[in-house]
Amino acid sequence: MTVSLSKGQKVSLSKAGGGTLTQVRMGLGWDAVRKKSLFGSRKQTIDLDASCLLFDASGQLADQVWFRQLKSRDGAVQHTGDNLTGDGDGDDESIKVDLSRLPVHITTLVFTVNSFTGQDFSQIENAFCRLIDETNGQEVARYALTGSGNHTAQIMAKVARDGQGWSMTAIGAPTSGRTFHDLLPAMAAHL
């Protein structure tokens, strides 16, 4: 059963029968707003990029997965590829995470989205992120990336160690930048 999250809401990744999810995928989807012109409207392409940043307990960036590094050094986190347009239904970009393979010093994964080409979120619609249980394909949680505006990036969500398991928190913090590097100062408040 999917939980629709609102900004700041947290959901446990514990399984109903006990234990915790081990294989998850964060999916990102979006559509470009059609450009209005004198002769109707035309389709545009927008290159959004999903990233996953791996932090240790002291809040230090330990590794990153993004379109220029598709796999974490330990192999536990893998980006499935860069979508340059947002065309199509469903997830436009995905990042798979094997939570059971993450080193114990990694306590938080932060998922971000940014517009590499610099278009702001006023030109994007139907944007979402969702967490899927990769063992059965079931959607666990979904967060609508609302708040279109002149920002070019957003800190979407985080997955953090929560006792013996993991939890996901919807963040939805608007910020700006072409890559995750530009977003790092804004992330500190959400670790």
Side-chain angles (χ1 to χ4, degrees), residues 110-127:
V110 177
F111 294 90
T112 65
V113 57
N114 55 272
S115 173
F116 185 74
T117 49
Q119 290 123 321
D120 64 41
F121 273 57
S122 70
Q123 299 175 59
I124 298 163
E125 61 185 1
N126 305 322

Side-chain angles (χ1 to χ4, degrees), residues 42-156:
R42 65 177 171 82
K43 187 176 170 183
Q44 64 174 332
T45 60
I46 296 183
D47 180 13
L48 293 186
D49 294 315
S51 301
C52 177
L53 308 170
L54 293 76
F55 291 92
D56 65 19
S58 65
Q60 295 298 307
L61 180 63
D63 203 352
Q64 64 275 330
V65 174
W66 59 310
F67 70 90
R68 290 193 178 147
Q69 180 183 325
L70 296 178
K71 191 181 279 191
S72 60
R73 289 187 292 272
D74 58 29
V77 182
Q78 181 177 350
H79 197 299
T80 61
D82 192 13
N83 180 319
L84 303 176
T85 65
D87 284 344
D89 293 329
D91 299 337
D92 294 310
E93 291 196 9
S94 291
I95 298 175
K96 296 179 180 182
V97 181
D98 185 342
L99 296 169
S100 65
R101 287 184 52 203
L102 284 171
V104 293
H105 73 282
I106 300 298
T107 59
T108 306
L109 307 174
V110 177
F111 294 90
T112 65
V113 57
N114 55 272
S115 173
F116 185 74
T117 49
Q119 290 123 321
D120 64 41
F121 273 57
S122 70
Q123 299 175 59
I124 298 163
E125 61 185 1
N126 305 322
F128 66 87
C129 69
R130 66 189 193 121
L131 194 72
I132 298 106
D133 179 349
E134 278 290 276
T135 63
N136 60 17
Q138 298 263 326
E139 184 174 280
V140 176
R142 176 179 286 259
Y143 177 57
L145 302 176
T146 58
S148 67
N150 63 1
H151 57 284
T152 60
Q154 192 172 118
I155 301 168
M156 295 188 295

